[in-house]
Amino acid sequence: MTTSQNVIPMDKLWQDVGIEKAADDPALMIDVAGFEGPLDLLLHLARSQKVDLSRISVLALAEQYLLFVESARRVRIELAADYLVMAAWLAYLKSRLLIPKQAKDDDGPSGEEMAATLAFRLKRLEAMRDAASRLVNRNRLGRDIFSRGAPEHIPHRSQSAFDASLYDLLSAYANLRQRTAVTQVTIERRKVWSLVDARELLTRMLGEIGDWTALQHYLLPYLAPEDRVTATASAFAASLELVREGRLEIRQDGAFQPIYLRKGEGRPVVPSAASIAEGSR
Amino acid sequence: MSGSNEHLIENDDDIVSEPLTLTEACRIAEALVFASAEPVPESFLAERLPLGSDIPAIMAALAELYAPRGVNLIRTGDRWAFRTAADLSFVIRKEEGEVKKLSRAALEVLAIIAYHQPVTRAEIEEIRGVQTSRGTLDVLMEAGWVRFRGRRRSPGRPVTLGTTPDFLDHFGLEELRDLPGLEELKAAGLLSGRIPSGFSIPIPIGADELSEEEDPITQLDLEELGLLAPSGGDEE
Amino acid sequence: MSGSNEHLIENDDDIVSEPLTLTEACRIAEALVFASAEPVPESFLAERLPLGSDIPAIMAALAELYAPRGVNLIRTGDRWAFRTAADLSFVIRKEEGEVKKLSRAALEVLAIIAYHQPVTRAEIEEIRGVQTSRGTLDVLMEAGWVRFRGRRRSPGRPVTLGTTPDFLDHFGLEELRDLPGLEELKAAGLLSGRIPSGFSIPIPIGADELSEEEDPITQLDLEELGLLAPSGGDEE
């Protein structure tokens, strides 16, 4: 791992942006805020290919996305981890698409299959989006159609003379418990990679990779140097947890060698006497 | 007219012997539903109408009667309600926005819940490719459109989400099957978690280069796409 | 009916190129009166209907149309409103009273009983941090959502409380375990992320079986606790 000497902490960079940086840098701003996550961004990029989603060039799409992340990094914009993981995944996908097809002896999905999965997800997201806009444009109660303005009675189903919804109940309970909980919580400064984040992201990525993969290899280039340590640590800790649950398998060929991951068989390693013996198959 | 109605109020046993005319039953059902702002469940009507009333027939007759009018009888789920006709929206439309404005994320989550229900939070996030920010589900539940449905019988027993009867009412749907485009989406396999067989995409090029129809993306393109805001420095 | 009525509107400024028929004008007036929370003055109708509409004629036609129906269009002064036909007022049983909203306190107590059952009154107070008034529990019992489950095998043998099948029914739950847990409440935005690490939400113990620490409650217990009037006397 290379450690660059001239790294300025993120915080400082951010503070500087407004003041002196504005002069020398073109001060580009990347408006990631307008997007609902990486899949949304991909969908947006895909639309700009102006083809039907099922005929899209996934490779070109991956290129565009990676380029976007590159530009973001160039202007030192901190992207949410979600975006970086997608970048890593796409880089992996790209490599799978570009290497000559291997004999069908590996058990993971081929690059083509992964590409199809991506296209499917984009198409599904777009379909939901269309559905949402059709829904919201229907004749809606209180906007286009109206109920009786001066009702004369309220029909109630059965005996109960009281009204309360499950939502009322749950929010009352949540508020109460929250109120009475001892709240001397010190809020930790949010790290880029919490254990929970790492876990979430690993799960999402590995869902579609069946083969042994050195994820770090794809992921690290997209992380700011000062985040690499925390990312590596969190991802490693999270992966151990996932291994224990049987959702992940892990392999390392030797000390300091790359760590390979792949999706587990899904059988949790239950810490009961019977399965401990069986677990080490 | 009054003579025949007097028996309605009296002892139940009399009613059975003297069946109500369809017209009279219609009047009662009409009054019950008209008087309420909320949709009235059929079970409620059954309680109030004489034993043995053919409620579906009564409601169908009423709905037909009101179909051309300025106020229509509509069904939503197993409930009935009178609502102003949709084509008159322009005259009645109220100034104050009474309809809650939903964020794009909330709307998307609502659609996913409606079309995929029962659906877990993890599945919603899988479809959207992003974590659901806090407050999104909250808004939908508070609006009374989304509810906890139960638990999935799968490892971890995650809670499932679905829509409420008020959701149907608000969006003017008789039932979930009337969700726009539901059949097509189902047929296209877009409502399942799995890629439908036969869904494949051609991989057009095997190389790193772009095809002839593609231009490399440039900084300018990114600006144009709204991904990069053009520099200007006016902003703080 | 068309010929004479077609010229209801002499639209000076030609906004409506085609004159409204009486039927159309009736539809609009009907919808306006229906949707209004207050009786509608004729002047308001005149504002919304095309200029020159013969409001009295329109309203007379509508009133006549509704006269034999379960709902009538009635006039008070120069205002119009829909009302249930007088001879059907019995179906709108006024004496039922309105459905009451549960108070905040009652909701809290109910939720605690649901999640923490079997739970004693002292435990409820400990969780809430305030005393629970007798009336609050009474309301929940009256609603039919809460019941005495048994008696705790601990000093004083306090009565334990739990929910009823009606509770599940009303809140649309199949079983108590369908109540969302900590993670799910957080994800739904109901609990904030800033809760102490020791914070937990119990999994309610099914209503049917008593837990190991509970004895069944008997008639005698209830009487002794003053929760039931001693048997013997005929109650009304």
Side-chain angles (χ1 to χ4, degrees):
Chain A
M1 186 188 292
T2 54
T3 34
S4 25
Q5 266 74 39
N6 51 353
V7 175
I8 317 163
M10 255 313 179
D11 281 336
K12 202 140 187 209
L13 247 182
W14 276 111
Q15 284 159 10
D16 288 347
V17 161
I19 318 155
E20 60 232 321
K21 280 282 169 195
D24 45 56
D25 254 5
L28 283 162
M29 305 266 293
I30 296 205
D31 183 16
V32 205
F35 290 93
E36 298 275 341
L39 210 55
D40 186 30
L41 172 57
L42 273 170
L43 188 57
H44 187 86
L45 291 171
R47 282 206 187 114
S48 68
Q49 284 195 16
K50 296 190 180 72
V51 289
D52 183 76
L53 275 184
S54 45
R55 288 183 47 240
I56 201 164
S57 160
V58 168
L59 199 56
L61 189 61
E63 284 294 346
Q64 288 181 355
Y65 186 93
L66 295 176
L67 203 75
F68 166 78
V69 172
E70 264 313 307
S71 336
R73 281 165 43 71
R74 214 178 306 127
V75 287
R76 294 184 290 264
I77 297 292
E78 188 185 5
L79 285 173
D82 275 345
Y83 288 86
L84 303 178
V85 169
M86 179 59 90
W89 190 81
L90 288 172
Y92 174 75
L93 169 62
K94 204 176 106 186
S95 74
R96 291 295 302 232
L97 287 174
L98 294 179
I99 50 167
K101 253 195 184 138
Q102 299 150 318
K104 203 59 184 146
D105 58 350
D106 74 54
D107 46 358
S110 66
E112 284 75 11
E113 282 161 345
M114 286 173 65
T117 306
L118 179 63
F120 169 73
R121 291 187 64 192
L122 289 174
K123 204 163 177 175
R124 186 173 59 180
L125 180 61
E126 189 176 54
M128 280 302 106
R129 220 157 258 180
D130 291 346
S133 71
R134 286 168 79 175
L135 202 56
V136 83
N137 287 321
R138 286 181 65 84
N139 288 320
R140 289 167 65 184
L141 187 65
R143 186 186 70 178
D144 307 296
I145 59 175
F146 298 87
S147 59
R148 175 88 187 265
E152 293 175 67
H153 80 143
I154 301 159
H156 39 93
R157 289 160 302 194
S158 45
Q159 315 79 16
S160 181
F162 293 93
D163 183 37
S165 71
L166 184 58
Y167 177 79
D168 296 336
L169 186 73
L170 296 177
S171 59
Y173 183 67
N175 277 332
L176 165 77
R177 292 298 308 280
Q178 196 137 275
R179 203 170 62 223
T180 56
V182 193
T183 44
Q184 37 162 324
V185 197
T186 44
I187 300 145
E188 209 176 320
R189 207 188 138 269
R190 189 179 175 278
K191 290 194 204 98
V192 179
W193 281 70
S194 73
L195 202 57
V196 180
D197 282 343
R199 204 192 133 93
E200 179 94 18
L201 298 171
L202 277 175
T203 318
R204 204 175 285 163
M205 272 183 85
L206 285 163
E208 284 150 52
I209 303 177
D211 198 12
W212 287 114
T213 317
L215 271 189
Q216 302 288 323
H217 173 67
Y218 290 99
L219 188 54
L220 287 184
Y222 292 99
L223 296 176
E226 68 272 21
D227 289 336
R228 285 179 191 163
V229 177
T230 154
T232 308
S234 305
F236 182 67
S239 61
L240 289 182
E241 205 178 304
L242 289 167
V243 167
R244 189 169 53 80
E245 290 166 28
R247 296 168 68 183
L248 190 71
E249 288 176 38
I250 211 165
R251 194 188 84 197
Q252 190 179 29
D253 294 339
F256 303 111
Q257 293 298 298
I259 296 170
Y260 289 90
L261 308 172
R262 79 170 174 190
K263 199 177 169 184
E265 304 283 293
R267 265 186 297 125
V269 183
V270 186
S272 77
S275 57
I276 283 169
E278 187 213 324
S280 55
R281 56 186 176 103
Chain B
M1 160 141 305
S2 58
S4 64
N5 291 331
E6 243 141 45
H7 292 282
L8 274 174
I9 317 146
E10 319 276 89
N11 33 354
D12 298 15
D13 357 308
D14 258 20
I15 293 168
V16 189
S17 57
E18 201 181 308
L20 251 73
T21 59
L22 184 61
T23 324
E24 270 314 289
C26 274
R27 288 186 77 230
I28 296 179
E30 183 180 27
L32 284 171
V33 179
F34 208 99
S36 166
E38 297 284 303
V40 178
E42 283 194 0
S43 59
F44 180 85
L45 295 172
E47 267 172 38
R48 299 305 178 89
L49 283 166
L51 216 70
S53 298
D54 182 352
I55 301 199
I58 291 169
M59 300 318 280
L62 271 177
E64 199 187 331
L65 184 79
Y66 275 93
R69 308 222 46 86
V71 171
N72 304 147
L73 180 62
I74 58 153
R75 184 169 76 86
T76 155
D78 66 342
R79 307 186 299 165
W80 291 88
F82 278 103
R83 299 282 184 250
T84 58
D87 66 312
L88 297 180
S89 160
F90 71 100
V91 231
I92 328 175
R93 211 176 254 260
K94 289 179 182 157
E95 287 79 35
E96 335 91 69
E98 274 176 35
V99 173
K100 187 166 255 177
K101 203 125 176 69
L102 288 180
S103 71
R104 193 172 134 216
L107 194 56
E108 210 170 285
V109 169
L110 178 63
I112 292 170
I113 292 173
Y115 284 80
H116 287 80
Q117 62 186 302
V119 66
T120 67
R121 184 175 57 95
E123 287 160 353
I124 296 172
E125 294 182 351
E126 213 270 322
I127 292 170
R128 299 186 64 226
V130 73
Q131 276 191 300
T132 311
S133 60
R134 198 155 281 148
T136 305
L137 274 177
D138 194 17
V139 163
L140 295 174
M141 290 205 243
E142 200 176 358
W145 295 335
V146 161
R147 66 187 177 97
F148 291 113
R149 274 179 59 130
R151 286 183 185 270
R152 176 75 47 82
R153 292 190 207 294
S154 68
R157 301 195 11 105
V159 160
T160 55
L161 297 158
T163 53
T164 62
D166 280 353
F167 165 82
L168 294 179
D169 189 26
H170 183 87
F171 291 98
L173 298 161
E174 267 194 27
E175 45 197 337
L176 286 173
R177 264 184 290 167
D178 295 337
L179 281 170
L182 184 68
E183 283 311 312
E184 294 93 297
L185 289 172
K186 219 183 253 171
L190 289 170
L191 296 186
S192 78
R194 302 257 166 119
I195 307 188
S197 61
F199 184 97
S200 70
I201 49 148
I203 302 300
I205 37 171
D208 213 347
E209 300 101 337
L210 299 163
S211 73
E212 286 144 276
E213 297 138 40
E214 292 164 284
D215 289 326
I217 199 160
T218 63
Q219 183 93 326
L220 212 67
D221 289 334
L222 289 174
E223 284 180 17
E224 203 179 289
L225 290 167
L227 299 174
L228 285 177
S231 49
D234 289 358
E235 300 150 71
E236 68 281 26
Chain C
M1 73 134 74
S2 55
S4 62
N5 294 327
E6 234 143 51
H7 295 286
L8 272 171
I9 336 122
E10 289 105 63
N11 37 342
D12 319 35
D13 26 347
D14 251 35
I15 300 167
V16 189
S17 50
E18 234 177 273
L20 253 66
T21 60
L22 178 60
T23 320
E24 263 318 282
C26 277
R27 289 183 79 230
I28 294 174
E30 185 179 26
L32 285 171
V33 175
F34 172 85
S36 169
E38 304 282 325
V40 179
E42 292 194 354
S43 58
F44 178 81
L45 294 171
E47 262 172 42
R48 296 295 180 106
L49 283 163
L51 217 70
S53 299
D54 183 353
I55 311 271
I58 292 166
M59 298 318 279
L62 265 180
E64 195 186 331
L65 186 78
Y66 275 96
R69 308 227 45 88
V71 172
N72 304 147
L73 182 63
I74 56 159
R75 188 164 70 132
T76 53
D78 74 331
R79 290 161 177 261
W80 291 90
F82 281 111
R83 288 280 177 270
T84 306
D87 67 309
L88 294 181
S89 57
F90 72 96
V91 296
I92 315 290
R93 288 184 209 153
K94 291 276 190 219
E95 75 274 17
E96 264 170 15
E98 297 208 341
V99 181
K100 282 168 269 179
K101 269 253 173 237
L102 275 192
S103 69
R104 178 117 216 123
L107 271 175
E108 284 179 5
V109 171
L110 178 60
I112 292 170
I113 293 173
Y115 271 102
H116 297 256
Q117 63 184 291
V119 65
T120 67
R121 201 167 152 155
E123 287 162 348
I124 295 174
E125 291 180 353
E126 196 189 312
I127 295 168
R128 288 188 69 216
V130 277
Q131 280 212 313
T132 304
S133 74
R134 177 83 191 229
T136 307
L137 264 184
D138 287 345
V139 162
L140 295 173
M141 299 254 179
E142 190 193 331
W145 293 334
V146 161
R147 67 186 179 91
F148 297 114
R149 280 173 59 119
R151 303 190 80 158
R152 177 76 48 80
R153 285 189 200 137
S154 67
R157 299 184 68 237
V159 171
T160 54
L161 296 158
T163 52
T164 63
D166 276 353
F167 166 82
L168 293 180
D169 202 42
H170 180 93
F171 290 97
L173 299 164
E174 238 173 73
E175 44 179 344
L176 282 172
R177 289 179 45 155
D178 287 351
L179 284 170
L182 178 64
E183 282 310 313
E184 290 142 344
L185 288 175
K186 264 204 264 179
L190 292 169
L191 274 178
S192 87
R194 297 160 53 184
I195 40 180
S197 55
F199 191 88
S200 75
I201 280 178
I203 298 166
I205 295 174
D208 296 334
E209 331 90 85
L210 291 169
S211 71
E212 279 159 38
E213 300 126 40
E214 280 174 291
D215 283 327
I217 202 157
T218 64
Q219 184 84 355
L220 211 69
D221 286 332
L222 292 175
E223 286 177 19
E224 184 191 310
L225 292 164
L227 300 168
L228 270 186
S231 53
D234 276 5
E235 288 158 73
E236 70 283 25

